[in-house]
Amino acid sequence: MKTIFSQIIDREIPSSIVYEDDLVIAFLDITQATPGHTLVVTKVPYQNIFEVPEETLKHLFAVVQKLSKAIFKAFDAKGLNLLNNNMPEAGQTVFHYHVHIIPRYEKEEVTFKLTNHMSTLNSDAYKKRAAMIIAALS
Ligand code: AMP
C-alpha cells in the first residue's frame, strides 16, 4: 500500500508543497508544531535512514539546508531544529523517509527531553561505548 507521502507526491491528497525536484519533495507538516514546520521527503518511499542511498541523502540534506535558510528568514525564527525519527521506538509514525524542519520562536513550545546520564557513568563506560561504535564502522 502507498504511504501517505507517496499519495501527496502523486497529488492524490492535498498538501502545501513548498519545494520539489526529481529526488525530494517538501511540504508543510499538517500539525504545524510551530509556524513553518516543514517535511523534506524522498520521492522513493524508503522506510528509514538505513535504506536511503548515500547520493540521495547528500542531495536531501542540501535541500534541507536551503529550506532551513528560507524558513528561518520567512518566519523571522529565532532557532531551528532538524528531526528524523527512524522506527516506532524512535517515534516514527509515517514509514517513508523524511526530515522535519522545525523553526523555533521560544524555548518551551516544543519539548525534546534528553535525559543526562553523566552522573551514572565512569570513563570506562564511555570508552566501551565508543569502542562498540568504532568496531561496527569497520
Ligand atoms: P514522524 O512521526 O517523524 O514519522 O512524522 C510524520 C509526520 O507526518 C507527522 O508530524 C505528521 O503530522 C505528518 N503528516 C501525516 N500526514 C500528513 C499529511 N497528510 N500532510 C502533511 N503532514 C502529514
Side-chain angles (χ1 to χ4, degrees):
M1 200 183 119
K2 261 189 182 179
T3 70
I4 192 132
F5 294 165
S6 290
Q7 292 174 55
I8 287 174
I9 291 164
D10 293 342
R11 306 315 199 254
E12 291 168 2
I13 59 169
S15 68
S16 304
I17 295 170
V18 297
Y19 177 87
E20 183 171 22
D21 62 31
D22 289 347
L23 293 178
V24 301
I25 189 166
F27 47 83
L28 296 184
D29 190 293
I30 204 161
T31 61
Q32 290 295 281
T34 64
H37 177 192
T38 296
L39 301 175
V40 187
V41 179
T42 55
K43 284 239 169 126
V44 175
Y46 304 112
Q47 286 201 46
N48 52 48
I49 193 164
F50 304 111
E51 293 187 0
V52 186
E54 189 175 332
E55 286 310 310
T56 303
L57 259 192
K58 282 183 189 164
H59 175 72
L60 181 137
F61 271 94
V63 172
V64 165
Q65 187 191 42
K66 188 179 171 141
L67 280 166
S68 295
K69 286 178 182 172
I71 291 165
F72 198 83
K73 190 173 152 193
F75 288 85
D76 195 22
K78 304 292 175 244
L80 185 139
N81 294 110
L82 298 180
L83 175 69
N84 161 227
N85 300 320
N86 296 283
M87 302 178 167
E89 290 75 4
Q92 186 175 9
T93 59
V94 176
F95 299 94
H96 181 147
Y97 185 73
H98 57 281
V99 173
H100 297 252
I101 300 175
I102 308 170
R104 299 293 301 275
Y105 305 94
E106 54 187 74
K107 281 194 176 160
E108 310 304 334
E109 69 210 326
V110 181
T111 45
F112 302 107
K113 186 152 175 25
L114 299 181
T115 308
N116 185 343
H117 294 290
M118 253 177 84
S119 62
T120 67
L121 296 169
N122 59 26
S123 62
D124 279 350
Y126 288 95
K127 271 188 202 139
K128 193 173 165 201
R129 290 179 186 184
M132 287 165 71
I133 296 169
I134 292 163
L137 281 171
S138 56

